[in-house]
Amino acid sequence: MKISWTTNIILGKEFSDPDFCRILRKSGLTLVGFGLESISRRVLKLMNKYHQSMEPEEMKKIFTTIRQEGIELGIYVFFGFPTETLDEARETLRFLLDNLRLFNFINVYPFFLEDFTLVFQEPEKFGITKIYTEDKEKITGRRLSYGFETKEGMSQEEAFLFTREAMAAIRQANAAKP
């Protein structure tokens, strides 16, 4: 029986082992998605991401191994996590552009503050000074998220603008790929 399957993964060090990736590929794994979110270790630590202690070069090695073993790779990134600076966002974009050949797709979004998340429930831990709960749609244009202010980092408007710039840069770089 030949089965193909896809999954989302937590970026663990085991994926740097070609034998491990080869076994997954032989089992029918064709594509993995990964929530990179940011390349900034400070931001990743604030998010409590599993890969927060990894250096960008270590992540690149893992992504390279996954691709070399014939597994497609998709990346999810968002800009504007509370207190993320424009420089940190640019660092993430630079990583994506420098490693574009490794990714079959890159999904880029601005950060949205949503109900029932830790960030919403404990905003002070994430530097949020105000949440606009009056009318979500009026503030963010999305019914599922809230407008907010932070004590530092990009504003939501700056994050939206940077996300558009990042998407345009990724599209342009993809169009220029041989």
Side-chain angles (χ1 to χ4, degrees), residues 100-116:
L100 198 59
R101 65 179 175 73
L102 296 175
F103 309 121
N104 295 88
F105 68 83
I106 301 171
N107 285 339
V108 179
Y109 306 95
F111 172 78
F112 290 107
L113 180 60
E114 298 175 354
D115 289 318
F116 311 111

Side-chain angles (χ1 to χ4, degrees), residues 79-80 86 153-165:
F79 297 110
L86 189 55
M154 288 186 283
S155 68
Q156 279 186 296
E157 183 178 342
E158 290 169 324
F160 291 148
L161 291 173
F162 184 81
T163 301
R164 280 195 215 128
E165 291 173 23

Side-chain angles (χ1 to χ4, degrees), residues 21-65:
C21 291
R22 197 170 303 119
I23 290 168
L24 290 172
R25 179 65 189 112
K26 286 181 180 179
S27 77
L29 181 61
T30 58
L31 177 134
V32 295
F34 173 66
L36 178 67
E37 319 309 8
S38 175
I39 205 72
S40 164
R41 289 177 77 183
R42 184 191 71 78
V43 174
L44 292 171
K45 184 175 182 180
L46 190 60
M47 292 178 192
N48 197 28
K49 292 295 282 189
Y50 184 80
H51 61 283
Q52 65 183 286
S53 64
M54 288 186 189
E55 293 291 337
E57 283 306 309
E58 189 175 2
M59 291 181 211
K60 179 181 175 181
K61 180 180 185 242
I62 291 170
F63 297 148
T64 300
T65 302

